[in-house]
Amino acid sequence: MDIVEAEGAAATGVVARTVAAGEGEREPHPSDSLRTFGAVVQALREHAGLSRGDLAAVVRYSKHTVESVELGRRMPDESFVERAEEVLGNTGALRRAARHLSRGEVGLAAWFRRWARLEREAVSLCTYECRLVPGLLQSEAYARAVFEGTIPLRTDAELETQLTARMERQKMMRERPTVPFSFIVEEHVFRRRFGDAEAMRGLVDHVLERSAPRNVTLQVVPLGAGLHACLDGPVQVLETSEGRRLGYSEGQENGRLISDPKQVSVLCQRYETLRSQAMSPKDSRDLLERLRGEL
């Protein structure tokens, strides 16, 4: 049966619409947060001794919608969350969990999606990399080579989707000219070969172009710098419009958003220390231009 979810639409400021069995609301790429939220709804429902049909009746949505939410296939609207909260104990758990819900984004690793959204709204972003050229500075050829070498292998379609997502992500640097972007990158990252000499020159040219605007700072940590403050690995730190600082650290098949103020403070101290140990922006650009001339 078709259900007109007028109340839910009104609660979220969206025009009321008729949803045929909820299929129109299915998420094409369910995110981890949707799956987790759905699992919590299911656990609370079962604890309350309710079937999906029972819950559907009291929250005034279809049984199919309840199933889709529980399986992470649908983004619940505000009215669903509120009604389910009231029926399933009114502990506040669903309201709090709903604040962190996010849709899956094609081409981005699941563990990186939340950070990518925070990046787009940050008032400053600092990035240290010791493995590869930061995604925001990668040339298309370099990004393609990175994806082609990743295990497990991707299909051509998957590779193109990821490549498109990476290039789209770079647009925010051009679209936000007043936001400070700081990059500190190890020299050996730029010396690691990929492709032929033309591809390498293309990478250096791309990095020089992306780091040329006044709001972008690129510093290189020279090979002779020795041990330094960020040896624990790559890290990113951003500041939100509310003045809150958050960190992000990535490893094999995982990424960690760091929100604890004390931990973020340590990351900021390490980054600032490394900033003083790296080459100046001018000397860094001179080094890249020399490397390009050696190709």
Side-chain angles (χ1 to χ4, degrees), residues 60 98 128 212 263 273 280 290:
R60 302 196 293 281
Y128 164 66
Q263 294 183 32
T273 300
S280 71
R290 289 199 302 273

Side-chain angles (χ1 to χ4, degrees), residues 49-69:
L50 301 175
S51 67
R52 283 176 175 162
D54 294 334
L55 181 59
V58 292
V59 298
R60 302 196 293 281
Y61 282 82
S62 69
K63 178 181 176 181
H64 182 87
T65 295
V66 172
E67 178 183 18
S68 294
V69 169

